[in-house]
Amino acid sequence: IRQAFIVDNSDYKISKFLQKIFNDIGLYTIQLFHNDRPDWEKCPPEPIGSGVLLEYKGKCHIISAAHVVQPYATGQKRNPYSDEDDYEDPKESKLSLENIGFYSDGFYYPLRHVVFTNIDNPIEYNVDLAVIPLDNETACELRGAKKHFVKNSCISINHSMTSESRYFVYGFPAEWSDLKSDKIISRPLEMNTKGFFVEEGINLRYDPRYNIFIEYNPSKLVCTQSDGKLNLSSPKGISGCGLWYYNKSCQLVLVGIMTENKLESDSLPVMMATRIEEVIYIMNKYNDI
């Protein structure tokens, strides 16, 4: 089920050009799920975030936000009020990467290894990224399912933010996922917006060396299929999706990874992304991933 949403679209009609951009971005985007219940194989999964498929130096990865996968990668307790003795299997007392993964062509793929920036320390400079390596077999399965991996030529380093409406976001809000016993139906948030420049005197937690802001005003979101307004004040689940930019050379490039909705914390109609060069930095630093 597809349902497109766009910002500042006065006639409520999405053009074929914009829909093609969203369709293209969708090929590089994946939804992440978790199931941390002891009998998780018998229970439906729950969506936790989004990710971008990226190939770098011949290796394939899912790029997401660190906060999406951190509890699982660090083995945090499943229940803070329970101990290992409360479980038949002590391993079930802690969250595991085997509890999270993604679905492709009806098959579930668990995530087994994550490299990211803040395993032991709080997120520094608002760099909130997870790098998830994929084995060759899984990458081939994804390509067989018509998914694509972002190449170096589609990455924009040192992007200069603009106030033009050239930015695109495509992610999966958790509340828009219909989870059934034999099928998962997810509707993406598809948004076209512009850069947001922070005015002097605004106390906003960010660092321009690492972050990009885009405008996000839920009151301006419209549903292009029903010609109606949509109010989505907290689109949880799109964390980890890409921030894309359509440049003056008519090329769609990846400039960042979406990490935070600033509406609730700072009362501003903006979203924040971590710059894509930080992803490259992490992958170069951990060259064995």
Side-chain angles (χ1 to χ4, degrees):
I1 295 178
R2 294 187 58 81
Q3 199 162 2
F5 297 88
I6 193 166
V7 172
D8 285 335
N9 189 19
S10 58
D11 60 3
Y12 294 1
K13 294 180 180 179
I14 189 167
S15 69
K16 291 182 179 179
F17 167 73
L18 290 178
Q19 189 59 70
K20 182 182 184 307
I21 288 181
F22 289 129
N23 291 343
D24 290 345
I25 295 174
L27 298 175
Y28 299 101
T29 308
I30 203 160
Q31 187 174 20
L32 299 177
F33 296 87
H34 84 126
N35 201 326
D36 55 10
R37 303 174 188 176
D39 56 346
W40 68 270
E41 291 181 334
K42 301 177 182 178
C43 300
E46 297 180 9
I48 58 173
S50 304
V52 177
L53 299 172
L54 185 145
E55 181 176 344
Y56 186 71
K57 292 185 177 180
K59 295 182 179 181
C60 294
H61 312 81
I62 296 175
I63 310 301
S64 187
H67 71 264
V68 171
V69 300
Q70 185 168 0
Y72 302 88
T74 56
Q76 294 182 14
K77 293 179 65 175
R78 183 191 307 277
N79 186 332
Y81 304 104
S82 300
D83 298 318
E84 292 185 358
D85 296 339
D86 296 325
Y87 296 84
E88 293 183 7
D89 184 351
K91 293 182 180 179
E92 293 181 350
S93 66
K94 295 183 179 181
L95 301 178
S96 167
L97 286 177
E98 293 186 358
N99 298 129
I100 66 174
F102 63 92
Y103 286 82
S104 177
D105 259 8
F107 293 96
Y108 174 72
Y109 295 85
L111 305 179
R112 304 187 184 280
H113 181 47
V114 175
V115 174
F116 60 133
T117 60
N118 60 320
I119 292 179
D120 299 317
N121 301 310
I123 299 172
E124 297 180 358
Y125 304 114
N126 288 318
V127 176
D128 183 359
L129 293 172
V131 179
I132 305 165
L134 299 176
D135 58 66
N136 292 334
E137 182 179 356
T138 301
C140 289
E141 292 281 355
L142 284 168
R143 288 192 173 100
K146 308 302 182 184
K147 284 292 187 179
H148 295 179
F149 288 83
V150 179
K151 306 286 188 180
N152 285 0
S153 59
C154 294
I155 293 175
S156 179
I157 303 296
N158 298 322
H159 172 71
S160 296
M161 195 171 63
T162 174
S163 58
E164 297 179 358
S165 297
R166 289 178 169 269
Y167 294 93
F168 293 85
V169 174
Y170 181 108
F172 294 96
E175 63 187 44
W176 291 3
S177 295
D178 185 10
L179 306 176
K180 300 180 179 180
S181 58
D182 60 343
K183 196 173 185 180
I184 297 175
I185 300 175
S186 298
R187 292 182 295 141
L189 169 70
E190 298 174 321
M191 187 174 72
N192 171 216
T193 186
K194 58 187 178 181
F196 182 92
F197 291 88
V198 180
E199 299 177 0
E200 292 186 9
I202 296 180
N203 184 21
L204 195 59
R205 295 177 292 103
Y206 84 109
D207 190 318
R209 295 174 296 173
Y210 306 101
N211 303 136
I212 300 174
F213 279 143
I214 56 170
E215 181 180 282
Y216 176 68
N217 191 336
S219 66
K220 293 183 180 180
L221 287 176
V222 297
C223 173
T224 59
Q225 288 190 353
S226 63
D227 292 344
K229 292 278 186 177
L230 174 75
N231 190 340
L232 188 64
S233 59
S234 184
K236 295 180 180 179
I238 72 166
S239 291
C241 76
L243 175 59
W244 299 80
Y245 180 73
Y246 192 75
N247 63 25
K248 297 296 179 66
S249 300
C250 299
Q251 182 187 21
L252 190 66
V253 293
L254 183 64
V255 299
I257 301 296
M258 299 306 301
T259 59
E260 188 173 356
N261 174 11
K262 290 287 187 178
L263 283 169
E264 296 179 354
S265 59
D266 301 282
S267 300
L268 287 173
V270 295
M271 286 183 173
M272 187 171 72
T274 303
R275 290 181 175 272
I276 196 62
E277 46 263 45
E278 293 305 305
V279 175
I280 303 303
Y281 169 77
I282 294 170
M283 290 197 289
N284 284 331
K285 183 177 180 180
Y286 299 94
N287 56 15
D288 61 339
I289 63 176

